[in-house]
Amino acid sequence: SYGTMSHYAFDPATGSFQNGSYLNDYSLWSTETAVAKDGTVYGDFYSADATRFELGVADYAADTRTTIGQLYHYYVALGITSADVLYGVATDGNLYSIDPATAKETLVGPTGVRLTLDDGTWNVQSGEIDPATDIFYWACTDYTGHSALYTVDLATGAATKVGDMAGGEQVALLHIPEDNTPPEAPAMAGELPVGRLRQGGPLGHHPLHHPAPSLHGRRAGGHGGLRRGAGREGRGQRDG
């Protein structure tokens, strides 16, 4: 009933409670949300009287939201690309693109995963598009209760399993943190002769290869090595 819903704010760094407020309608109750690169929070929200779904923009600090237009699906996973295009997986198991200006929904294609149980219900799950790569990650729990992480092809809708949730967890809020890695950071080194490290003596030099691109694609190539010395840990050396 009205007046029984509350909105709570927590410190993202510490998890400590900051404040709370009572809500007098359902307009801030969302099935899923997606945050654009400029901080705009889009979501599949209930209408104020909870009779329909609406694409809206939330202002959680003010406990308000605006309405863009009506939506005709319940989205269990929602994400937005770096080009500000919304995509959502609905309970029918299909991927849709959603115009953030008009709320128009366009079918992309089936994910290939069944979500709805025989009684018409579905399990808790969520999704997010990585703003750095535009890959749609979906923490899915299917109609059998099995949980797994998928990627969803934005061109076809097809879902590809990344792996199963080890403990069968149902993820209600999937979030991809901003990448704060320096642009010049190198990518992972390769061609490390692990066998030689295990079988070699206490002294020696073992070359390894620094890949040409950095973690962000810039050139940072060269060769280096690990030196092993008695009584001390090996240390890295870069030659180029």
Side-chain angles (χ1 to χ4, degrees):
S1 61
Y2 292 154
T4 60
M5 294 188 65
S6 301
H7 175 219
Y8 298 103
F10 297 86
D11 187 321
T14 66
S16 61
F17 174 78
Q18 291 183 317
N19 59 69
S21 57
Y22 290 103
L23 305 176
N24 57 15
D25 62 35
Y26 293 95
S27 60
L28 278 175
W29 185 5
S30 66
T31 71
E32 257 282 78
T33 59
V35 183
K37 57 186 177 183
D38 64 357
T40 302
V41 181
Y42 294 94
D44 183 1
F45 294 94
Y46 283 91
S47 60
D49 59 2
T51 60
R52 62 185 183 279
F53 302 116
E54 299 173 343
L55 179 66
V57 173
D59 182 347
Y60 289 117
D63 283 345
T64 62
R65 77 162 175 86
T66 58
T67 300
I68 296 171
Q70 185 171 351
L71 292 174
Y72 297 92
H73 296 89
Y74 186 113
Y75 290 99
V76 295
L78 199 65
I80 188 166
T81 68
S82 57
D84 290 334
V85 179
L86 280 164
Y87 289 90
V89 176
T91 54
D92 61 7
N94 291 319
L95 177 72
Y96 295 84
S97 64
I98 307 167
D99 189 326
T102 65
K104 180 182 178 181
E105 300 162 88
T106 302
L107 174 65
V108 176
T111 63
V113 182
R114 177 182 166 184
L115 301 179
T116 307
L117 284 67
D118 291 338
D119 62 2
T121 61
W122 51 88
N123 291 297
V124 171
Q125 50 204 291
S126 62
E128 188 77 28
I129 293 178
D130 185 342
T133 62
D134 281 341
I135 296 175
F136 195 162
Y137 292 95
W138 176 23
C140 169
T141 303
D142 65 18
Y143 78 104
T144 69
H146 182 78
S147 297
L149 181 67
Y150 291 85
T151 58
V152 182
D153 189 319
L154 299 182
T156 67
T160 301
K161 184 189 289 188
V162 176
D164 297 319
M165 298 295 184
E169 297 85 356
Q170 295 185 353
V171 181
L173 179 60
L174 182 67
H175 174 66
I176 300 173
E178 182 180 356
D179 183 5
N180 294 317
T181 307
E184 66 276 10
M188 183 177 293
E191 302 178 16
L192 177 63
V194 177
R196 289 173 59 189
L197 286 175
R198 289 175 177 170
Q199 299 172 13
L203 301 176
H205 178 268
H206 304 280
L208 57 85
H209 174 67
H210 293 281
S214 71
L215 194 60
H216 291 268
R218 298 182 181 179
R219 185 165 185 81
H223 294 271
L226 295 177
R227 293 188 182 277
R228 298 183 62 187
R232 63 179 183 179
E233 296 181 357
R235 52 190 175 91
Q237 171 183 298
R238 182 168 177 172
D239 301 325

